[in-house]
């Protein structure tokens, strides 16, 4: 066994190129790579048999735990029928049923159309392309997008250009959508009338920005943004790729402020964290603009090979079933409170600001008085998360912000032990 683990590690370093990873460091380190062999509930097990709490829900995807019997069964049942068939020219039952279920999660006659794709990034691309083509079809001159500083909307070229985190888009900036970045609602409300009328759509991660470092928006902000969009005739695109499916304590973050967007982008948790599947929901108004005779060329010429993949859609149906069956949303308040109390109880000199919405939390590492930020080049966030493995926790930082995003099925006890793990790991690294 040890031999084969060594062999796997050698082959990984020989051929894999990992996402968001400095491969020089990856290949130099002698413990890495940590190879995950299995998962059950909120626990991941590596090839050596060590167990860890899945402290970032396998990059914000998993909801009800690994090997959940309902989702496993839904996928197996579908596998006995067909794994994939094209949605270009054909349909399939799981996709049809899933679209119907998704639409019914929103107020009647609001988001009535569902376009399936593969990932968060493609859900965003799809919304943006629909918005651009819509303006062309109805003859409106609105070339610009508005996004927010610190935003993250994915890594494909268009989605990346909307992002407000320099390292992800600066290199490719000139290739994307024309976008103005705003720091907050005050800045947006100061925009000149002429410019406001040039805005096609505003895109935002509602309630909290994830990859920006778990940055929390002020209460009421989303309502204000919806009003601004309505006053100025701009679309509102909500990126609920991270916040969707219960992470903020409601099924969708937009429910906290009774806002319905013109486009809603879902991915990560859509399948309970099982399969790559995404959905872009939009309104009948948008959809109808694309209708016409074929030769009018109004068709939305967009799609991917695996759009509406039946296995993914079956997993997503299983996911929604679990929400209903296990009353998942109703189970969250005590867990959210436990996380808030556990984080607040830690007296760590190197913990600066702590931010939390639902079961999404970020802890800024800071100097010995918990005040000034650390030098990001020292990668302290990564070092702390690595040290946390010793205490049975796997998670990733956003630079020097530690993040804790457990699956919704996490127990109060597991929340306590994961907060403790982060505290101890911080002491190990920073003293
Ligand atoms: C992860 C994420 C994306 C991109 O999703 P992928 O599936 O990684 O392409 C987009 N927006 C937000 C808010 C995300 O957290």
């Amino acid at each position: 066994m040890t031999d084969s683990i060594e062999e796997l590690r050698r082959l990984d370093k020989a051929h894999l190129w990992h996402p968001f990873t400095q491969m020089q460091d990856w290949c130099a380190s002698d413990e890495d790579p940590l190879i995950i062999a299995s998962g059950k509930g909120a626990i991941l097990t590596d090839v050596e048999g060590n167990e860890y709490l899945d402290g970032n829900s396998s990059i914000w995807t998993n909801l009800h735990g690994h090997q959940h019997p309902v989702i496993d069964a839904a996928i197996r049942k579908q596998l006995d029928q067909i794994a994939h068939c094209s949605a270009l020219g054909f349909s399939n039952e799981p996709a049809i049923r899933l679209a119907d279920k998704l639409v019914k999660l929103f107020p009647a006659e609001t988001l009535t159309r569902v376009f399936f794709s593969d990932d968060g990034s493609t859900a965003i691309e799809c919304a943006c392309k629909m918005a651009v083509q819509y303006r062309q079809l109805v003859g409106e001159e609105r070339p610009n997008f508005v996004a927010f500083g610190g935003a993250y909307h994915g890594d494909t070229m268009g989605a990346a250009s909307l992002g407000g985190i320099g390292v992800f888009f600066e290199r490719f900036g000139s290739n994307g959508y024309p976008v103005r970045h705003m720091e907050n609602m005050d800045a947006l409300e100061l925009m000149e009338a002429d410019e406001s009328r040039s805005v096609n759509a505003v895109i935002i991660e509602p309630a909290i920005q994830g990859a920006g470092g778990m940055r929390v928006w002020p209460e009421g902000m989303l309502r204000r943004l919806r009003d601004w969009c309505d006053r100025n005739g701009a679309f509102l695109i909500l990126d609920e790729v991270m916040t969707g499916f219960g992470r903020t304590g409601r099924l969708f973050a937009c429910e906290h402020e009774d806002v319905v967007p013109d486009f809603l982008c879902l991915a990560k948790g859509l399948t309970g964290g099982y399969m790559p599947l995404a959905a872009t929901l939009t309104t009948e108004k948008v959809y109808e603009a694309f209708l016409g005779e074929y030769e009018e060329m109004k068709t939305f010429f967009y799609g991917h090979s695996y759009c509406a993949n039946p296995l993914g859609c079956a997993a997503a149906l299983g996911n929604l079933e679990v929400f209903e069956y296990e009353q998942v949303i109703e189970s969250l308040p005590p867990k959210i409170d436990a996380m808030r109390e556990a984080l607040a109880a830690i007296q760590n000199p190197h913990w600066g600001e702590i931010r939390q919405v639902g079961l999404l939390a970020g802890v800024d590492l800071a100097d010995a008085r918990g005040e000034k930020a650390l030098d990001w080049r020292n990668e302290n966030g990564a070092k702390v998360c690595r040290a946390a493995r010793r205490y049975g926790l796997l998670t990733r930082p956003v630079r020097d912000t530690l993040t804790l995003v457990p699956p919704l099925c996490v127990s109060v006890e597991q929340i306590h032990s994961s907060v403790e793990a982060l505290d101890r790991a911080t002491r190990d690294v920073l003293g």
Side-chain angles (χ1 to χ4, degrees), residues 327-346:
Q327 305 220 311
V328 172
I329 297 295
E330 294 76 359
S331 76
L332 296 177
K335 300 182 187 187
I336 294 168
D337 291 346
M339 189 189 256
R340 183 166 290 112
E341 285 156 21
L343 286 167
I346 299 294

Side-chain angles (χ1 to χ4, degrees), residues 379-395:
E379 296 187 81
N380 287 300
K383 286 175 189 159
V384 170
C385 289
R386 200 183 166 83
R389 290 179 187 178
R390 287 203 281 276
Y391 307 114
L393 176 71
L394 290 187
T395 187

Side-chain angles (χ1 to χ4, degrees), residues 68 70 73 94 134 138 156 165 172 182 221-222 226 229 255 280 324 326 331 343 369:
H68 192 288
V70 172
Y134 175 90
V138 302
T156 53
I165 306 171
F172 311 105
M182 295 289 151
M221 190 260 196
L222 193 59
R226 175 74 271 185
C229 288
E255 292 174 21
T280 304
E324 254 180 67
E326 297 183 2
S331 76
L343 286 167
R369 304 227 309 273

Side-chain angles (χ1 to χ4, degrees), residues 60 119-122 124 152-155 205 210-211 239 241-242 267-268:
W60 312 344
D119 287 287
S121 308
T122 56
I124 302 289
Y152 178 76
H153 298 296
D155 290 327
E205 297 156 83
D239 176 351
V241 172
M242 179 190 73
K268 290 192 170 106

Side-chain angles (χ1 to χ4, degrees), residues 10-260:
R10 191 183 64 74
L11 290 172
D12 178 290
K13 290 181 181 184
H15 301 301
L16 276 187
W17 191 339
H18 289 268
F20 286 96
T21 300
Q22 176 43 262
M23 291 304 290
Q24 182 173 304
D25 293 343
W26 178 272
C27 291
S29 118
D30 41 337
E31 287 171 52
D32 269 335
L34 192 156
I35 303 171
I36 301 296
S38 65
K40 184 108 191 164
I43 300 295
L44 296 172
T45 305
D46 70 15
V47 282
E48 292 174 36
N50 302 304
E51 295 190 343
Y52 311 89
L53 183 89
D54 188 359
N56 77 346
S57 296
S58 298
I59 202 70
W60 312 344
T61 60
N62 193 279
L63 300 174
H64 314 299
H66 300 276
Q67 282 193 60
H68 192 288
V70 172
I71 305 178
D72 282 14
I75 293 172
R76 289 206 175 96
K77 189 164 165 238
Q78 182 56 38
L79 200 52
D80 285 337
Q81 302 295 318
I82 189 170
H84 183 63
C85 57
S86 172
L88 284 64
F90 311 104
S91 200
N92 69 77
E93 183 171 348
I96 294 168
R97 297 216 179 277
L98 178 59
D100 177 54
K101 288 243 177 214
L102 289 174
V103 163
K104 289 190 172 125
L105 297 174
F106 298 91
E109 318 280 304
T110 56
L111 298 168
T112 49
R113 291 283 159 183
V114 182
F115 193 102
F116 288 116
S117 59
D118 315 320
D119 287 287
S121 308
T122 56
I124 302 289
E125 295 293 351
C126 176
C128 293
K129 286 196 167 182
M130 281 178 179
V132 167
Q133 187 169 336
Y134 175 90
R135 301 300 183 186
Q136 292 168 1
L137 294 173
V138 302
E140 285 176 330
E141 188 64 36
R142 284 179 175 268
N144 297 321
F145 283 84
V146 167
F148 288 89
Y152 178 76
H153 298 296
D155 290 327
T156 53
M157 198 64 82
S161 71
L162 300 169
I165 306 171
V167 287
F168 302 148
F169 74 85
E170 272 161 4
R171 224 180 269 284
F172 311 105
S174 56
N175 298 300
Y177 292 108
V179 55
R180 277 283 309 272
H181 283 102
M182 295 289 151
E183 279 315 303
N184 50 38
M185 269 319 291
D186 290 345
L188 181 59
E189 283 169 349
L190 287 174
M191 189 185 265
E192 300 287 340
D194 270 3
E195 198 183 352
S196 303
R197 275 192 298 272
S198 78
V199 175
N200 182 340
V202 183
I203 182 165
I204 188 170
E205 297 156 83
I208 179 169
Q209 293 182 330
M214 297 297 163
R215 290 172 39 172
V216 181
W217 290 119
E219 237 179 271
M221 190 260 196
L222 193 59
R223 186 74 259 165
R224 258 170 93 188
L225 179 56
R226 175 74 271 185
D227 292 344
W228 187 93
C229 288
D230 289 343
R231 278 200 308 281
N232 292 284
F235 286 131
L236 175 61
I237 303 175
L238 290 190
D239 176 351
E240 292 231 30
V241 172
M242 179 190 73
T243 54
F245 299 102
R247 298 258 183 235
T248 68
R250 304 286 291 266
L251 194 57
F252 298 106
C254 59
E255 292 174 21
H256 291 280
E257 300 191 15
D258 279 325
V259 162
V260 180

Side-chain angles (χ1 to χ4, degrees), residues 247 332 335-336 339 357-361 404-408 410 415:
R247 298 258 183 235
L332 296 177
K335 300 182 187 187
I336 294 168
M339 189 189 256
V357 171
L359 282 179
L360 296 156
L404 197 55
V405 182
L408 307 184
V410 72
I415 289 172

